[in-house]
Amino acid sequence: MKIADYLTKEEVQYFTRKSDIRGFRVLLSNWFYIFAIFTVVYLFPNPVTILLSIILIGGRQLGLAILMHECGHRTLFKTPELNDKLGQWFCAMPVMSNQPLYAAGHLRHHQLAGTIDDPDLNNYKDFPVEAESFKRKIWRDIKGETGMKLIKAVASGVQTAFSNKSDGGNNSNPSKKSLKDNPFLHLVFAQLILFTVFSLVFAPWVYLIWVVSFLTTFMLIIRLRQIAEHANVPDLFDLDPRMNTRTTIPRPWERMIFTPNWVNYHLEHHFMASVPCYRLKALHQLLKARGAYENTQIFHGYASVMRHAIKEA
């Protein structure tokens, strides 16, 4: 699937054009939704609004993770420094992640997708799976086991990874790093900022919804997103993204939870990773109109993708 087969040079320039204004609009809209959800649950606290907020905040946390991903590609903003700073402090750290480390691994995923060396292969290589196995995975996410496992991994392993990166891979004694250089402390500091802001604007218990969402619905949504993107595709080891990657068209109600910031257009993202997320839908429509997807299955709705990821009894 060659870019030149479907797009002119002028169209490539259009689709890869970045905008600081568009980037700010997308970032601010994500945080607007977060505060709007918390406003409702703060003003009308009851079991229904709390449960709905946990689900919706999980989707908004995915939205921040997707924007971290965009900044890692240097596509959300035109100005590189905005991708670096805003992507780290307003997208990555609120969801206990680190943009430089994430970007380093994720760019390798793009370089090696369709090969056995893809660093993300373990996330989807065993699909389709038995229904019982799928249910166990989902239940671990809902119970918070996956989230707690991630927190423990971040607390125990992220410092070395940070240290190696900051020293060009030649740091042989990361334990001598000062406390201010400890990346986990940076993440804790970011969470303290969130706690303070949510406490001042709403109440301290609102931050608890953020934590519960991170440990449960966020983990579940991430898993479903990964399945939709690469699980049980026609051929994981074909370099054509139409064979190893999937785009899913969401139902209207799914957009808020599963597909913030156009993340569902994943085939288009692998076709040309330099396209900002806010141009992926238009790219999808153009490629479809030009026959790029004549023999490509495009799923409608995430339920259909999940059924496709489970082995038939």
Side-chain angles (χ1 to χ4, degrees):
M1 190 179 187
K2 297 179 181 179
I3 295 174
D5 291 341
Y6 297 99
L7 300 178
T8 66
K9 291 183 179 179
E10 292 75 18
E11 287 168 336
V12 170
Q13 291 175 350
Y14 167 78
F15 282 111
T16 58
R17 190 170 72 238
K18 304 163 187 67
S19 166
D20 287 345
I21 294 177
R22 292 287 300 271
F24 272 114
R25 283 173 53 189
V26 173
L27 179 58
L28 289 174
S29 68
N30 274 258
W31 280 103
F32 170 82
Y33 286 133
I34 290 169
F35 276 85
I37 294 166
F38 280 149
T39 297
V40 172
V41 74
Y42 172 67
L43 294 176
F44 308 100
N46 60 68
V48 174
T49 58
I50 290 173
L51 178 59
L52 285 175
S53 69
I54 289 172
I55 295 172
L56 293 174
I57 288 296
R60 288 301 97 198
Q61 289 172 335
L62 174 62
L64 294 181
I66 296 308
L67 295 186
M68 170 193 69
H69 158 270
E70 288 293 305
C71 290
H73 279 285
R74 298 286 184 98
T75 54
L76 186 60
F77 297 99
K78 180 179 180 180
T79 304
E81 291 78 10
L82 293 178
N83 286 303
D84 293 340
K85 300 300 182 183
L86 297 184
Q88 177 73 330
W89 285 97
F90 288 89
C91 303
M93 287 194 171
V95 292
M96 295 295 289
S97 191
N98 174 266
Q99 181 185 300
L101 281 180
Y102 169 82
H106 182 70
L107 293 178
R108 290 188 68 246
H109 163 62
H110 275 270
Q111 294 166 356
L112 299 171
T115 76
I116 198 170
D117 297 316
D118 179 0
D120 289 355
L121 193 60
N122 285 336
N123 293 331
Y124 36 74
K125 66 180 179 63
D126 294 328
F127 284 88
V129 297
E130 301 289 346
E132 288 303 314
S133 173
F134 184 79
K135 291 177 183 177
R136 286 194 298 270
K137 297 176 191 297
I138 299 302
W139 185 233
R140 285 198 297 269
D141 297 336
I142 295 174
K143 288 193 300 181
E145 288 183 21
T146 308
M148 288 304 302
K149 184 178 180 180
L150 175 61
I151 293 293
K152 292 176 182 177
V154 170
S156 62
V158 73
Q159 180 177 359
T160 301
F162 258 60
S163 301
N164 287 344
K165 184 178 188 304
S166 63
D167 291 344
N170 296 318
N171 179 31
S172 60
N173 193 353
S175 63
K176 290 185 179 181
K177 303 287 282 188
S178 65
L179 287 177
K180 70 177 181 179
D181 293 324
N182 186 326
F184 184 65
L185 290 184
H186 295 174
L187 298 178
V188 172
F189 178 66
Q191 294 304 309
L192 287 175
I193 292 176
L194 277 180
F195 172 76
T196 301
V197 171
F198 292 155
S199 297
L200 291 174
V201 177
F202 305 110
W205 60 265
V206 170
Y207 175 73
L208 184 61
I209 293 177
W210 183 266
V211 175
V212 172
S213 297
F214 178 85
L215 293 174
T216 58
T217 55
F218 179 45
M219 296 295 120
L220 173 60
I221 292 168
I222 285 178
R223 184 185 299 279
L224 299 182
R225 190 214 79 208
Q226 289 175 336
I227 291 172
E229 290 174 351
H230 293 289
N232 200 20
V233 291
D235 190 346
L236 271 175
F237 304 112
D238 190 309
L239 296 179
D240 189 328
R242 290 171 295 190
M243 301 299 289
N244 63 51
T245 306
R246 179 185 296 115
T247 276
T248 301
I249 307 302
R251 305 298 183 190
W253 69 268
E254 293 174 329
R255 293 173 186 164
M256 185 71 175
I257 302 172
F258 300 111
T259 65
N261 307 318
W262 307 276
V263 67
N264 53 297
Y265 295 105
H266 202 61
L267 197 165
E268 292 73 21
H269 174 60
H270 272 261
F271 171 66
M272 196 159 58
S274 55
V275 176
C277 62
Y278 40 79
R279 301 193 193 280
L280 287 175
K281 183 177 180 180
L283 177 60
H284 168 82
Q285 293 171 338
L286 180 62
L287 291 174
K288 182 178 179 181
R290 292 184 175 171
Y293 300 146
E294 286 183 357
N295 299 309
T296 303
Q297 185 177 25
I298 304 293
F299 283 82
H300 288 75
Y302 277 68
S304 61
V305 181
M306 295 309 117
R307 288 193 294 268
H308 182 69
I310 299 173
K311 290 181 180 178
E312 295 183 7

